[in-house]
């Protein structure tokens, strides 16, 4: 635990504002407007024979000629990367001192760094071309990333003369591995050794992106202070992020000393604006590399950085083409299906091969499909819950060490050491999870990767670099083979296909719904018009049948009169059916009048009206179990729902003592907190299970018209439509011969 705290402290070290430089060059901080010297390094007398106190507040024009001042101005007005370094000369008594001048403007501070020229030979474009021509040709001839790295290590060592040059690659967690090396024969090899992420703190990696090259000619150098230490403009330390002379962290110096290195140089390798790796150069004795040679090495670093992506794409090309074929087959199958789950079952082998996984779990619509070697269903449900709550990525999440993030997975490492998770719809918990088993491996480290923690004289903890770099082996558990980018890309393509299928189905359903809405509207209109227009001729038939009975009863025999009476009864029943149809069709055409309603008073009123129509009330007990809540509804229509349900409970009851209970489910009993579930329960004749799905169909009767007081069979259909128009649903639970309970929901 202490180590983690100290690593964080190490990451917070402000290495970009040390207030110190390395002694092999001279640094000026200049005022932007007139090149007045605001700060200067303390070693000015050693390099140009002038004490720093004499230089402060002096304009640079007093030290160098107008032609050089003009060159500096031009450099600052253009892209300085394309014109550095400038040739700067100082006249000191009878000598002319030559320097490579490196200048940049950062945070309104002009920083001029002077590096002594060690060779009098003129260096021009053609010399530069000759130095880079052969390495570039060899780089272009390489086919693989490994070959590229090995060639570059050899060429950089040939150009610079360092004892050892390594290509050092970072993994996703920031740890590094030596993947190529060129060295003196008598040096121990570092090839394939791993180095922990803590060896290079986060802020140091950020500076490697700002500055592509960093040289330390002598690790035993004595840092040189700036005079004054803080800027006279804002009284803050100067930011040396882009400085080539910036002093190095004491921890890094100690680290190099412990390695037995006397000089080092590093060149950044950057892919997609992220630090991919380093070209690390080490020497056993102090070594100064001229700026000109450094520029060549930095250029080679840029060339390799451009080629990294291409070489990585070409690695295992056959495997990537195989994945593309599988991906295309899956996408095609999904794009043509109407049942995603069924298609994934049919394509389970391709689904596994898409990510080179040994197990896959598909969670769709609360349905869990498992293929291959996977954790148990309960473990996967818990895992999906954790993913939904903790993973912020909207598309895909991958890890080759699931236990590190989700400790509960240690119980099923044999099938899920690593996981690739594809979120289809996080809110609905629609996921596809691929699993790889744990692979136990031995990792070779360049020394013990655990940084030691020391206690200083004040009792504070701080980090100390490793003192031993002998190979140190570690057995690594709870990790799977890493997920490759092409496998992750394949999963994302799969999601696109699934989303495309869902959108296609949604579009088709939308069109169907529009058509259904149009047809329902037409049907409602037809039912309304038809039922309204049928009433007039039906009334005529009824009236004329009645007239015949009244006026010609003496002329007709008993059989004729009976037939006319039957005709009258049929017209009455027909009128009742038409009235029910007319009422049903009108429900879809009349707007709801939603308002706050005292539901308890409403139901009491319904019961009072129903009791008036009962011949006998002594054997009927209608009971409201608890006070009903106030809701917002159409008072008239909800009154009709309760009227239908309560009257049915009384009508379809053959018991001597009829019981009707009205109430609602408490919130802890209900599954949906945004609705209230009401019920009407009776002890009547009940409904056979085979009829439960039919009772809400219009004019569907389960008994003869003459039984249980008659009726049209439209009451429950009307109740269902009213409830659904309020955004609820209605259903029934019944035991034949014992009674029924009708439930319906309304918004709370």
């Amino acid at each position: 635990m202490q180590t983690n705290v100290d690593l964080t402290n190490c990451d917070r070290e402000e290495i970009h504002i040390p207030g110190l430089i390395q002694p092999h060059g001279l640094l000026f901080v200049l005022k932007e407007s007139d090149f007045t010297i605001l700060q200067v390094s303390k070693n000015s007398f050693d390099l140009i024979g002038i004490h720093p106190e004499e230089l402060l507040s002096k304009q640079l024009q007093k030290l160098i000629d107008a032609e050089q001042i003009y060159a500096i101005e031009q450099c600052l007005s253009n892209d300085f990367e394309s014109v550095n370094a400038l040739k700067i000369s100082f006249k000191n008594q009878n000598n002319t001192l030559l320097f490579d001048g490196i200048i940049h403007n950062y945070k309104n501070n002009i920083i001029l760094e002077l590096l002594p020229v060690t060779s009098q030979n003129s260096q021009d474009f053609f010399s530069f071309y000759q130095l880079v021509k052969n390495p570039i040709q060899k780089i272009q001839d390489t086919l693989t990333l490994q070959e590229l790295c090995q060639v570059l290590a050899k060429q950089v060592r040939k150009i610079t003369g360092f004892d050892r040059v390594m290509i050092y690659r970072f993994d996703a967690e920031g740890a590094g591995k030596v993947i190529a090396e060129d060295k003196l024969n008598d040096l121990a090899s570092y090839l394939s050794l791993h180095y922990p992420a803590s060896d290079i703190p986060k802020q140091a990696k950020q500076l490697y992106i700002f500055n592509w090259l960093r040289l330390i000619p002598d690790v035993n150098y004595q840092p040189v202070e700036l005079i004054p230490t803080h800027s006279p403009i804002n009284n803050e330390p100067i930011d040396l992020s882009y400085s080539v002379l910036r002093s190095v962290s004491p921890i890094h110096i100690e680290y190099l000393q412990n390695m037995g290195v006397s000089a080092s140089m590093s060149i950044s390798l950057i892919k997609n604006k992220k630090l991919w790796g380093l070209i690390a150069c080490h020497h056993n004795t102090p070594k100064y590399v001229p700026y000109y040679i450094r520029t060549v090495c930095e250029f080679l670093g840029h060339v390799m950085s451009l080629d990294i992506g291409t070489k990585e794409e070409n690695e295992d090309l056959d495997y990537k083409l195989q994945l593309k074929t599988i991906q295309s087959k899956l996408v095609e199958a999904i794009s043509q299906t109407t049942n995603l789950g069924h298609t994934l079952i049919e394509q389970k082998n391709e689904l596994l091969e898409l990510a080179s996984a040994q197990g896959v779990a598909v969670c769709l619509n609360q349905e869990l499909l498992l293929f291959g070697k996977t954790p148990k269903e309960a473990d996967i449900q818990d895992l999906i819950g954790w993913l939904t709550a903790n993973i912020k990525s909207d598309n895909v999440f991958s890890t080759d060490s699931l236990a590190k993030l989700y400790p509960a997975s240690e119980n099923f490492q044999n099938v899920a050491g690593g996981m690739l998770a594809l979120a289809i719809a996080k809110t609905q918990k629609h996921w596809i999870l691929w699993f790889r088993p744990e692979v136990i491996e031995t990792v070779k480290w360049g020394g013990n990767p655990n940084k030691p923690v020391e206690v200083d004289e004040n009792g504070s903890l701080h980090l100390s670099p490793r003192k031993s770099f002998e190979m140190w082996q570690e057995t690594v558990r709870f990790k799977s083979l890493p997920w490759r980018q092409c496998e992750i890309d394949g999963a994302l393509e799969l999601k696109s296909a699934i989303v495309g299928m869902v959108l296609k189905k949604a579009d088709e359903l939308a069109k169907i719904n529009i058509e259904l809405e149009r047809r329902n509207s037409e049907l409602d209109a037809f039912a309304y018009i038809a039922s309204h227009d049928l009433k007039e001729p039906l009334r005529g038939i009824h009236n004329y049948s009645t007239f015949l009975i009244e006026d010609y009863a003496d002329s007709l025999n008993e059989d004729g009169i009976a037939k006319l009476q039957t005709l009258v009864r049929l017209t009455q029943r027909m009128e009742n059916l038409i009235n029910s149809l007319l009422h049903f069709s009108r429900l879809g055409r009349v707007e709801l009048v939603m308002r706050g309603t005292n539901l308890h008073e409403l139901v009491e009123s319904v019961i009072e009206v129903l009791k008036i129509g009962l011949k006998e009330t002594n054997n009927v007990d209608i009971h409201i179990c608890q006070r009903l809540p106030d809701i917002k509804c159409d008072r008239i229509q909800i009154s009709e729902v309760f009227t239908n349900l309560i009257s049915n409970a009384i009508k379809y009851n053959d018991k001597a003592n009829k019981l009707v209970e009205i109430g609602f489910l408490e919130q802890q009993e209900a599954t949906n907190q945004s609705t209230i579930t009401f019920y009407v329960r009776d002890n009547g004749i009940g409904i056979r299970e085979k009829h439960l799905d039919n009772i809400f169909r219009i004019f569907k009767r389960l008994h003869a018209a003459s039984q249980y007081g008659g009726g049209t069979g439209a009451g429950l259909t009307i109740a269902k439509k009213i409830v659904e128009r309020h955004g609820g649903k209605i259903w029934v639970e019944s035991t034949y011969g014992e009674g029924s309970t009708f439930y319906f929901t309304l918004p709370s």
Side-chain angles (χ1 to χ4, degrees):
M1 191 69 179
Q2 291 175 336
T3 303
N4 291 335
V5 172
D6 288 319
L7 288 177
T8 303
N9 291 337
C10 185
D11 285 335
R12 287 201 296 264
E13 186 184 4
E14 295 180 328
I15 59 177
H16 62 298
I17 51 171
L20 304 166
I21 67 166
Q22 298 182 64
H24 61 275
L26 177 64
L27 185 143
F28 292 100
V29 179
L30 307 175
K31 191 175 180 179
E32 194 172 14
S33 58
D34 58 5
F35 292 172
T36 298
I37 299 172
L38 302 176
Q39 292 173 272
V40 64
S41 55
K42 198 173 182 179
N43 60 345
S44 60
F45 184 80
D46 298 332
L47 293 176
I48 60 174
I50 305 175
H51 291 287
E53 293 78 10
E54 299 176 40
L55 294 169
L56 291 175
S57 300
K58 183 178 290 187
Q59 291 185 336
L60 190 64
Q61 291 88 325
K62 303 294 184 181
L63 302 176
I64 58 177
D65 59 38
E67 184 177 347
Q68 295 179 80
I69 293 293
Y70 177 76
I72 291 175
E73 291 173 340
Q74 289 298 109
C75 181
L76 289 171
S77 64
N78 294 293
D79 179 8
F80 69 86
E81 291 283 359
S82 61
V83 289
N84 277 325
L86 301 169
K87 295 302 178 185
I88 303 293
S89 61
F90 284 86
K91 289 187 177 180
N92 182 3
Q93 295 178 351
N94 296 325
N95 298 324
T96 299
L97 305 175
L98 299 177
F99 296 89
D100 286 322
I102 317 299
I103 192 162
H104 69 274
N105 189 339
Y106 187 52
K107 295 183 178 180
N108 300 320
N109 289 306
I110 295 176
I111 298 176
L112 174 63
E113 299 172 90
L114 302 179
L115 307 176
V117 174
T118 57
S119 172
Q120 299 299 320
N121 296 330
S122 175
Q123 303 293 350
D124 54 21
F125 169 77
F126 295 103
S127 301
F128 178 87
Y129 174 74
Q130 290 301 320
L131 277 174
V132 300
K133 177 183 177 182
N134 189 53
I136 293 294
Q137 183 63 52
K138 290 185 179 298
I139 287 172
Q140 289 178 336
D141 290 341
T142 61
L143 299 176
T144 66
L145 180 62
Q146 182 59 46
E147 189 179 351
L148 168 65
C149 292
Q150 192 57 50
V151 164
L152 192 64
K154 185 174 183 178
Q155 292 302 313
V156 170
R157 181 166 176 256
K158 183 177 179 180
I159 292 170
T160 60
F162 275 97
D163 292 338
R164 185 199 305 272
V165 175
M166 302 171 288
I167 306 296
Y168 184 85
R169 181 179 184 176
F170 297 110
D171 64 18
E173 296 178 350
K177 179 183 178 182
V178 179
I179 60 173
E181 178 184 58
D182 194 76
K183 63 179 182 62
L184 293 176
N185 292 332
D186 58 347
L187 294 178
S189 176
Y190 290 165
L191 190 62
S192 299
L193 293 185
H194 292 71
Y195 294 85
S198 58
D199 276 11
I200 305 177
K202 292 177 182 177
Q203 75 276 29
K205 288 174 180 170
Q206 186 63 38
L207 289 179
Y208 278 123
I209 295 176
F210 292 161
N211 254 332
W212 281 62
L213 187 141
R214 164 64 58 196
L215 173 68
I216 307 175
D218 185 354
V219 300
N220 297 310
Y221 74 88
Q222 293 299 314
V224 176
E225 297 178 8
L226 296 182
I227 305 295
T229 57
H230 286 46
S231 169
I233 294 177
N234 56 20
N235 197 34
E236 292 181 358
I238 192 74
D239 191 325
L240 297 179
S241 294
Y242 289 93
S243 165
V244 300
L245 288 172
R246 174 176 51 81
S247 188
V248 183
S249 163
I251 294 178
H252 183 60
I253 291 296
E254 188 179 350
Y255 181 93
L256 293 172
Q257 290 171 338
N258 292 345
M259 288 186 74
V261 173
S262 293
S264 79
M265 186 174 76
S266 58
I267 306 151
S268 303
L269 298 172
I270 296 173
K271 176 187 174 186
N272 297 331
K273 298 182 180 180
K274 294 182 179 180
L275 189 64
W276 182 90
L278 294 171
I279 305 172
C281 310
H282 291 167
H283 210 65
N284 292 333
T285 57
K287 180 178 181 61
Y288 180 77
V289 179
Y291 187 77
Y292 181 75
I293 297 297
R294 282 185 258 168
T295 304
V296 172
C297 294
E298 184 177 338
F299 177 76
L300 293 178
H302 279 273
V303 172
M304 179 175 172
S305 295
L306 293 173
D307 208 19
I308 287 171
T310 303
K311 289 293 191 294
E312 286 185 329
E313 282 296 316
N314 290 335
E315 281 189 331
D316 299 329
L317 193 57
D318 290 342
Y319 174 66
K320 292 175 181 176
L321 290 174
Q322 178 188 349
L323 289 187
K324 277 291 182 184
T325 301
I326 295 168
Q327 174 189 318
S328 299
K329 184 177 178 181
L330 266 172
V331 168
E332 182 180 3
I334 289 170
S335 64
Q336 297 176 357
T337 189
T338 57
N339 188 323
L340 179 59
H342 182 70
T343 300
L344 292 178
I345 291 173
E346 288 183 340
Q347 305 289 330
K348 61 182 179 181
N349 291 333
E350 287 77 8
L351 194 60
L352 285 164
E353 292 170 2
L354 180 69
S356 293
Q358 292 191 18
V360 63
V362 181
C363 183
L364 297 171
N365 298 320
Q366 304 303 317
E367 181 183 9
L368 192 59
L369 305 174
L370 304 180
F371 311 121
K373 299 177 180 178
T374 68
K376 296 177 182 178
E377 284 194 19
D379 292 328
I380 291 177
Q381 294 289 5
D382 291 342
L383 184 55
I384 289 174
W386 174 79
L387 281 168
T388 304
N390 294 279
I391 302 305
K392 304 304 179 185
S393 172
D394 292 332
N395 294 315
V396 67
F397 163 78
S398 65
T399 177
D400 59 0
S401 182
L402 183 57
K404 185 175 180 181
L405 303 172
Y406 183 65
S409 69
E410 290 186 15
N411 297 322
F412 44 86
Q413 283 299 302
N414 58 322
V415 293
M419 179 183 68
L420 172 61
L422 182 67
I424 306 299
K426 288 178 68 176
T427 53
Q428 283 80 34
K429 295 186 179 179
H430 295 344
W431 293 82
I432 300 180
L433 311 179
W434 287 270
F435 300 104
R436 283 178 178 170
E438 172 190 34
V439 176
I440 301 174
E441 65 172 335
T442 300
V443 176
K444 297 178 180 179
W445 294 91
N448 189 328
N450 301 309
K451 277 195 172 185
V453 179
E454 296 181 350
V455 181
D456 61 22
E457 59 186 10
N458 297 321
S460 300
L461 297 173
H462 67 93
L463 287 172
S464 172
R466 298 195 306 276
K467 292 181 170 57
S468 172
F469 287 84
E470 294 181 1
M471 190 181 72
W472 192 86
Q473 293 191 162
E474 178 186 25
T475 300
V476 177
R477 288 205 58 199
F478 304 119
K479 291 191 72 173
S480 71
L481 294 176
W483 303 95
R484 300 175 59 176
Q485 190 59 47
C486 57
E487 295 160 348
I488 296 172
D489 291 342
L492 287 171
E493 286 292 331
L494 181 63
K495 176 177 180 177
S496 297
I498 293 173
V499 171
M501 183 213 73
V502 171
L503 291 176
K504 180 181 177 183
K505 286 183 68 176
D507 185 54
E508 292 172 352
L509 285 173
K511 291 178 180 177
I512 292 171
N513 286 335
I514 291 171
E515 180 63 17
L516 283 174
E517 187 176 345
R518 183 184 67 80
R519 293 189 181 186
N520 283 336
S521 178
E522 290 177 353
L523 187 59
D524 279 348
F526 170 77
Y528 179 79
I529 294 169
S531 57
H532 184 272
D533 292 350
L534 283 172
K535 291 184 74 174
E536 184 177 350
L538 186 62
R539 191 177 298 114
I541 295 171
H542 176 83
N543 290 338
Y544 276 105
S545 299
T546 303
F547 294 157
L548 284 172
I549 294 173
E550 292 176 352
D551 297 341
Y552 298 95
D554 294 338
S555 304
L556 297 173
N557 58 24
E558 291 184 5
D559 184 53
I561 293 174
K563 287 179 179 177
L564 285 173
Q565 289 174 339
T566 300
L567 183 59
V568 170
R569 287 196 302 271
L570 289 174
T571 55
Q572 287 175 334
R573 175 161 171 73
M574 187 67 178
E575 185 174 16
N576 289 336
L577 290 172
I578 290 173
N579 285 334
S580 295
L581 180 60
L582 186 63
H583 181 50
F584 178 74
S585 63
R586 190 181 290 117
L587 284 175
R589 302 164 65 81
V590 176
E591 291 293 327
L592 295 176
V593 180
M594 305 292 287
R595 59 184 178 183
T597 301
N598 185 326
L599 198 60
H600 196 84
E601 289 184 359
L602 183 147
V603 175
E604 284 183 333
S605 176
V606 167
I607 295 171
E608 186 177 347
V609 172
L610 286 173
K611 283 184 176 180
I612 293 173
L614 292 176
K615 294 179 181 179
E616 297 181 11
T617 58
N618 294 333
N619 66 336
V620 178
D621 180 12
I622 305 175
H623 176 62
I624 302 178
C625 297
Q626 74 262 61
R627 181 169 183 82
L628 301 178
D630 293 350
I631 63 169
K632 191 174 183 180
C633 66
D634 186 305
R635 178 184 179 88
I636 295 174
Q637 292 197 12
I638 294 302
S639 173
E640 188 170 356
V641 171
F642 279 101
T643 299
N644 273 320
L645 295 179
I646 297 171
S647 62
N648 281 351
I650 298 170
K651 182 190 300 183
Y652 298 103
N653 197 318
D654 56 2
K655 304 295 191 298
N657 294 306
K658 301 177 182 180
L659 176 64
V660 182
E661 294 181 2
I662 302 157
F664 67 96
L665 301 182
E666 299 292 348
Q667 288 292 350
Q668 58 265 29
E669 299 178 66
T671 57
N672 191 338
Q673 300 296 309
S674 63
T675 62
I676 300 176
T677 301
F678 298 93
Y679 65 86
V680 176
R681 181 176 293 124
D682 65 62
N683 64 338
I685 62 175
I687 306 167
R688 295 183 190 274
E689 186 175 355
K690 63 180 180 180
H691 297 310
L692 292 178
D693 294 333
N694 297 323
I695 61 172
F696 293 104
R697 290 167 54 188
I698 193 166
F699 302 145
K700 181 67 177 179
R701 291 181 52 84
L702 304 183
H703 311 283
S706 60
Q707 285 184 287
Y708 300 106
T712 64
L716 287 178
T717 308
I718 291 171
K720 181 174 185 289
K721 188 160 188 174
I722 292 172
V723 169
E724 289 177 347
R725 290 200 71 200
H726 278 75
K729 62 179 182 177
I730 187 169
W731 69 98
V732 62
E733 294 177 0
S734 183
T735 303
Y736 183 68
E738 296 182 9
S740 305
T741 303
F742 283 84
Y743 296 93
F744 63 95
T745 62
L746 294 174
S748 58

